[in-house]
């Protein structure tokens, strides 16, 4: 907790409403009686009132007290040793921090900050009641749900539909206060009209054409929204809230060092901007202050990249923190800082830091000196090193070398990663790869018709749990465009579902490809490090012509890489993904005389290229050539087998013919002729074959 007075409250607690109800109380805990359903002035169901959402539990107020002063003499500024290159110019950053500080400017920019920030700031200033007072809502029409399986429910499936929309519209891993919520809903003919905040509109409308309980939804914003307001405009907010926003911005500007890229948040409770505001006079107000401060930071910087370049070091020393629970929002607002100072607080053990475990994945220096955990947990360094794999300096002492960090980043393995093994034949695999991916990005129809036939198969699988690259700054990864076709066998156990997700034939494969988002793969020639491609020969592939029952030879090509998922309408990339793709190629009537027998595509979050960067050593040597296995003659049924009525002499002759055929490759007919001319002597027949094999016709061989 931030530093505050520890004296007990001197004023009386807030009194309860002592008005008597019509029914006398019988004592004890009583169940609240359900009142009438609350509706708004338009007659719509008030979702907040009905479900209790958005209702904050306000703590009981305590009398304000004078905050204790806390010096910063014990803090260590390790940020001076941190990185100080690159980033935005100092004047630009100062302007960013000064943006909106002018008189009367209370418009806070940034995603999802408007009314929600106003509510947070109101409570930090002691003016809030836990509910937004101006719910500017936008109406959205949802159709198609009446054809769903849920329509047979007693409520027509409305409850399930609302839950479905909220769940799908909320980004994965989003904090609870960022979840999309439907505020009001009503049925209007075959449409369900839902009302949401303006900043949630895009999250709901992107669900258009999603399938709900077997029915495709048609979702669109209603034209001429009477409810629509600009919720990001805080000019109508409480005057005290506007004043608090201005003070926070002024404080951030004063405490920011653009040369060191340092944000100094030490001794916040004694800051002159807030010494007379009562912000730290109660637990309730104090707990709201730091989240509100981080909201203001989110609004000042227009992108995650700008925050990354502007702030690399943060000091939180001398704040009487007993845990990071009250400042945990820092890891969401500045997740990529490199230097963090938590010195001279009251952190007693590692549990006090649990909220930041595995956070700050690029942390280079950490200061925990002056906290009780130094003596209470002597071995805390071991755990800290596990939590932060890039940490180099702890309490001004180097605990890792640069080589150790690089090795950890590459995931050094007991068996070194070798270079890719590409064992092509007649440049077939190389030509295929060079032609396939540019065509997949530009003309999937021609590609499917050129390399795939009626027997070709294709399947894709989404792996949402694959590890992500440390430098992947994408906040969330959406899979809606792929998940319905995914054949992830760890997720799908029913045989019919598994079978239906294997697409056979060039037409089916083409139709599926056309439903997938656009793609843009890196150029193989100019960006070879972004690819890992291996190729090996593979025997025994089915012969599509049916001429060879023993099969034909082919190639297996394994490709690992990345691509940008592109918006076809604009051509702009909106997401970076990694993929693994395995092709089995065989002879056929496609481009270059080959066909794709099998094509398996695995999609995952961007994982970088470190998985195939060599750690030393070359590819394994080619195996020693093995002598070709002679082809087996087609043996008539019962030939060479002891069956009733077959003489022993005939059986022995058949066995010798089989043996000679196996060693020479001749048909059984020519093997029998050779044995007969050699007096049914196997050794003599073999010698006769060596003398005559150059003159034997082709039909003599299998």
């Amino acid at each position: 907790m931030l530093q505050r007075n520890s004296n007990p409250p001197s004023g009386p607690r807030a009194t309860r409403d002592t008005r008597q109800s019509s029914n006398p109380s019988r004592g004890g805990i009583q169940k609240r009686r359900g009142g009438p359903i609350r509706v708004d002035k338009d007659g719509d169901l008030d979702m907040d009132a009905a479900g209790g959402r958005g209702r904050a539990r306000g703590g009981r107020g305590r009398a304000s007290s004078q905050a204790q002063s806390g010096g910063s003499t014990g803090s260590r500024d390790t940020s001076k040793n941190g990185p100080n290159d690159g980033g935005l110019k100092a004047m630009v950053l100062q302007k960013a921090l000064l943006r909106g500080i002018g008189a009367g400017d209370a418009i806070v920019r940034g995603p999802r900050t408007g009314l929600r920030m106003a509510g947070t700031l109101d409570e930090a200033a002691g003016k809030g009641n836990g509910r937004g007072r101006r719910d500017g809502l936008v109406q959205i029409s949802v159709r198609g749900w009446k054809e769903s399986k849920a329509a047979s429910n007693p409520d027509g499936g409305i409850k399930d539909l609302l839950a479905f929309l909220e769940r799908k519209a909320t980004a994965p891993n989003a904090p609870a206060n960022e979840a999309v919520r439907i505020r009001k809903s009503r049925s209007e003919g075959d449409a369900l009209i839902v009302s949401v905040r303006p900043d949630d509109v895009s999250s709901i409308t992107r669900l258009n054409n999603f399938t709900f309980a077997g029915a495709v939804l048609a979702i669109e914003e209603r034209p001429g929204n009477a409810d629509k307001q600009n919720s990001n405009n805080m000019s109508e907010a409480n005057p005290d809230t506007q004043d608090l926003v201005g003070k926070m911005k002024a404080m951030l500007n004063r405490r920011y060092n653009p040369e060191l890229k340092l944000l100094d948040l030490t001794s916040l409770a004694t800051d002159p901007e807030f010494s007379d505001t009562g912000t730290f006079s109660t637990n309730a107000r104090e707990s709201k202050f730091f989240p509100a401060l981080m909201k203001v930071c989110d609004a000042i910087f227009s992108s995650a990249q700008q925050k990354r370049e502007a702030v690399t070091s943060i000091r939180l020393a001398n704040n009487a923190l007993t845990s990071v629970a009250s400042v945990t929002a820092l890891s969401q607002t500045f997740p990529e800082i490199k230097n963090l100072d938590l010195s001279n607080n009251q952190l007693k053990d590692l549990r006090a830091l649990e909220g930041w475990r595995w956070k700050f994945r690029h942390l280079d220096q950490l200061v925990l000196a002056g906290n009780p955990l130094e003596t209470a947990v002597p071995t805390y360094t071991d755990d800290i090193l596990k939590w932060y794999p890039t940490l180099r300096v702890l309490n001004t002492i180097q605990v890792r070398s640069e080589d150790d960090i690089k090795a950890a980043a590459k995931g050094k393995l007991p068996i070194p990663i070798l270079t890719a093994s590409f064992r092509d034949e007649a440049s077939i695999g190389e030509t295929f790869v060079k032609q396939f991916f540019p065509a997949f990005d530009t003309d999937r129809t021609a590609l499917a018709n050129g390399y795939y036939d009626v027997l070709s198969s294709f399947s894709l699988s989404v792996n949402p749990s694959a590890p992500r690259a440390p430098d992947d700054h994408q906040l969330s990864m959406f899979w809606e465009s792929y998940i319905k076709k995914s054949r992830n066998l760890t997720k799908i156990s029913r045989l019919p579902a598994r079978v239906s997700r294997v697409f056979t034939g060039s037409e089916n494969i083409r139709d599926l490809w056309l439903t997938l988002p656009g793609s843009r793969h890196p150029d193989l020639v100019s960006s070879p490090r972004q690819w890992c491609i291996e190729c090996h020969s593979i025997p025994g592939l089915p012969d599509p012509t049916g001429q060879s029952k023993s099969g034909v030879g082919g190639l297996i090509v394994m490709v690992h890489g990345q691509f940008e998922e592109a918006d076809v309408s604009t051509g702009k990339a909106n997401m970076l993904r990694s993929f693994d793709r395995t092709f089995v190629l065989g002879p056929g009537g496609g481009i270059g005389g080959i066909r794709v027998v099998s094509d398996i595509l695995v999609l995952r979050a961007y994982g970088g290229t470190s998985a195939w960067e060599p750690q030393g050593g070359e590819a394994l040597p080619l195996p020693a050539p093995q002598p070709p296995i002679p082809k087996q003659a087609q043996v008539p049924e019962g030939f060479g087998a002891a069956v009733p009525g077959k003489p022993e002499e005939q059986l022995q002759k058949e066995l010798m013919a089989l043996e000679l055929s196996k060693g020479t490759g001749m048909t059984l007919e020519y093997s029998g002729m050779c044995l007969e001319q050699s007096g049914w002597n196997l050794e003599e027949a073999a010698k006769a074959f060596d003398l005559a094999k150059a003159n034997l016709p082709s039909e003599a061989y299998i």
Side-chain angles (χ1 to χ4, degrees):
M1 295 178 62
L2 303 178
Q3 189 170 358
R4 62 180 179 83
N5 197 327
S6 59
N7 295 331
S10 58
R13 295 185 181 272
T15 58
R16 290 190 177 182
D17 185 356
T18 57
R19 291 175 294 179
Q20 297 295 324
S21 62
S22 57
N23 295 325
S25 172
R26 293 176 293 178
I29 299 175
Q30 296 189 31
K31 186 175 181 181
R32 177 177 292 181
R33 302 293 182 183
I37 297 176
R38 294 182 59 178
V39 297
D40 63 8
K41 62 183 180 181
D42 299 324
D44 298 331
L45 176 64
D46 187 341
M47 302 296 287
D48 281 339
R53 281 197 300 255
R55 188 185 303 276
R57 295 182 179 180
R60 292 174 178 172
R62 297 191 301 180
S64 61
S65 56
Q66 182 68 24
Q68 295 179 353
S69 61
S72 58
T73 57
S75 62
R76 294 185 176 95
D77 187 357
T78 62
S79 60
K80 294 182 181 179
N81 299 326
N84 191 28
D85 55 338
L88 303 177
K89 293 182 179 180
M91 291 299 295
V92 176
L93 298 177
Q94 285 179 320
K95 289 180 180 179
L97 286 165
L98 285 167
R99 185 185 295 118
I101 295 180
D105 184 1
I107 299 178
V108 181
R109 300 184 299 104
R112 303 181 63 85
T113 57
L115 292 178
R116 298 184 187 186
M117 180 184 290
T120 303
L121 294 173
D122 277 346
E123 294 191 32
K127 302 293 182 180
N129 61 358
R131 292 190 56 144
R133 288 168 294 176
R134 289 171 301 279
D135 286 334
L137 302 178
V138 179
Q139 293 183 350
I140 297 176
S141 171
V142 182
R143 300 178 185 274
W145 56 280
K146 288 196 172 182
E147 284 74 40
S148 69
K149 298 176 182 177
S152 59
N153 295 349
D155 65 342
I158 294 179
K159 181 179 178 182
D160 291 338
L161 176 61
L162 295 176
F164 172 83
L165 294 174
E166 291 180 342
R167 183 176 68 256
K168 291 294 185 181
T170 300
N173 302 322
N177 63 332
E178 297 291 334
V180 175
R181 291 287 181 258
I182 295 174
R183 304 297 169 174
K184 297 189 293 184
S185 67
R186 71 175 185 273
S187 180
E188 194 174 279
D190 62 345
L192 182 68
I193 309 301
V194 298
S195 298
V196 299
R197 294 183 185 274
D199 44 10
D200 288 335
V201 172
S202 60
S203 299
I204 294 289
T205 54
R206 74 175 178 81
L207 303 181
N208 185 40
N209 292 326
F210 270 45
T211 301
F212 164 69
V216 178
L217 300 178
I219 302 176
E220 61 181 357
E221 183 180 347
R222 298 191 78 190
N225 266 299
D227 290 344
K228 189 171 183 179
Q229 300 176 6
N230 183 7
S231 67
N232 287 333
N233 188 344
M234 294 181 58
S235 60
E236 301 177 4
N238 186 290
D240 292 331
T241 299
Q242 296 183 25
D243 179 62
L244 183 59
V245 171
K247 288 184 177 182
M248 285 183 173
K249 289 182 177 179
M251 182 192 72
L252 290 170
N253 177 66
R254 176 167 39 81
R255 288 171 172 261
Y256 176 67
N257 186 329
E259 295 180 358
L260 299 177
K261 301 181 182 180
L262 166 66
L263 184 58
D264 188 354
L265 300 179
T266 58
S267 306
L268 289 175
T270 61
D271 190 278
E273 293 284 350
F274 301 97
S275 59
D276 58 347
T277 62
T279 301
F280 301 100
S281 60
T282 68
N283 283 337
R285 295 181 187 179
E286 182 179 309
S287 65
K288 298 291 183 181
F289 176 80
F290 199 85
L293 186 65
M294 292 298 100
K295 290 282 189 180
V296 173
C297 290
D298 284 331
I300 289 175
F301 298 103
S302 58
S303 66
Q305 180 180 358
Q306 193 181 41
K307 285 192 290 187
R308 205 162 48 240
E309 295 173 343
V311 180
T312 60
S313 305
I314 291 179
R315 298 185 63 197
L316 277 170
N318 299 297
N319 279 307
L321 295 171
T322 58
S323 77
V324 298
S326 60
V327 294
T328 186
L330 180 71
S331 63
Q332 300 171 10
T333 302
F334 296 104
E336 298 178 65
I337 58 173
K338 297 182 179 180
N339 308 301
L340 178 61
D341 183 2
L342 290 170
S343 61
N344 299 318
N345 283 291
Q346 299 175 12
L347 305 173
K348 297 181 180 180
D349 50 34
L350 289 171
R351 286 179 298 178
L353 295 169
E354 277 285 345
W356 283 347
R357 185 178 183 180
W358 308 116
K359 306 294 184 182
F360 305 119
R361 304 308 294 165
H362 304 279
L363 195 63
D364 181 67
Q365 300 189 39
L366 175 64
V367 181
L368 292 171
N371 284 282
L373 70 83
E374 284 189 292
T375 55
V377 189
T379 60
Y380 77 96
T381 300
D382 297 335
D383 293 281
I384 293 296
L385 290 176
K386 293 177 182 178
W387 292 4
Y388 305 108
T390 63
L391 188 66
R392 185 176 56 88
V393 177
L394 178 62
N395 294 336
T396 70
I397 300 175
Q398 183 169 336
V399 291
R400 277 198 187 101
S401 66
E402 295 288 351
D403 293 338
D404 291 338
I405 295 174
K406 291 179 181 179
K410 289 185 176 181
K412 191 172 183 179
L413 301 174
I415 302 176
I417 301 175
L418 305 181
T419 56
S421 175
F422 198 87
R423 303 171 184 177
D424 200 358
E425 295 184 7
S427 299
I428 294 175
E430 178 185 355
T431 303
F432 170 78
V433 171
K434 287 182 176 179
Q435 293 179 351
F436 183 90
F437 289 99
F440 189 82
D441 294 341
T442 57
D443 192 349
R444 295 177 181 176
T445 298
L447 180 64
N449 295 335
Y451 279 114
Y452 296 73
D453 58 22
V454 294
L455 298 178
S456 301
S457 66
F458 170 80
S459 65
L460 70 85
S461 174
V462 173
N463 181 6
S465 59
R468 301 175 66 161
D471 58 344
D472 184 12
H473 304 302
Q474 300 174 109
L475 296 179
S476 57
M477 190 69 60
F478 299 103
W479 300 104
E480 286 83 356
S481 301
Y482 307 94
I483 202 68
K484 294 180 182 178
K485 298 98 176 176
S486 173
R487 195 173 181 263
N488 188 332
L489 299 182
T490 63
K491 305 291 184 181
I492 301 175
S493 57
R494 296 177 60 251
L495 181 60
R498 291 182 172 185
V499 173
S500 66
R501 285 169 170 78
V502 177
F503 299 86
T504 305
S506 58
E507 293 185 1
N508 292 329
I509 295 172
R510 176 202 62 205
D511 293 343
L512 172 63
W513 283 357
L514 295 179
T515 67
L516 302 179
S519 60
R520 186 161 58 233
H521 293 78
D523 182 69
L524 184 60
V525 177
S526 61
S527 304
R529 292 184 177 275
Q530 297 180 2
W531 298 82
C532 178
I533 307 175
E534 296 192 303
C535 179
H536 301 272
S537 60
I538 181 172
L541 295 178
D543 183 2
T545 64
Q547 297 179 359
S548 175
K549 294 186 177 180
S550 60
V552 295
L555 295 174
I556 179 169
V557 181
M558 294 159 286
V559 184
H560 312 277
Q562 65 190 56
F563 68 92
E564 293 177 331
E565 186 178 293
D567 188 334
V568 178
S569 59
T570 62
K572 295 182 179 180
N574 53 28
M575 198 164 292
L576 182 64
R577 303 186 189 275
S578 289
F579 74 92
D580 311 287
R581 199 158 189 168
T582 303
F583 302 94
V584 175
L585 308 179
I591 299 174
I594 64 174
R595 61 185 283 264
V596 175
V597 179
S598 172
D599 177 3
I600 301 175
L601 172 62
V602 178
L603 299 175
R604 49 190 171 86
Y606 176 66
T609 61
S610 61
W612 57 76
E613 290 179 359
Q615 294 180 335
E618 298 296 330
L620 295 175
L622 292 172
Q626 300 292 329
I629 300 175
K631 295 182 179 179
Q632 300 294 323
Q634 295 185 8
V635 182
E637 184 177 358
F639 190 88
V643 294
K646 180 184 293 187
E648 181 66 23
E649 182 182 359
Q650 179 65 23
L651 177 60
Q652 293 299 321
K653 290 181 177 181
E654 290 179 357
L655 291 174
M656 284 191 289
L658 286 172
E659 188 69 20
L660 184 63
S661 175
K662 183 184 297 184
T664 61
M666 290 191 298
T667 63
L668 291 175
E669 180 183 1
Y670 273 81
S671 296
M673 292 169 56
C674 183
L675 284 166
E676 187 175 3
Q677 294 174 6
S678 303
W680 293 101
N681 186 310
L682 189 59
E683 293 183 0
E684 294 296 328
K687 293 178 181 179
F689 169 76
D690 289 337
L691 295 174
K693 62 182 178 181
N695 300 321
L696 292 176
S698 58
E699 61 266 20
Y701 296 95
I702 300 173

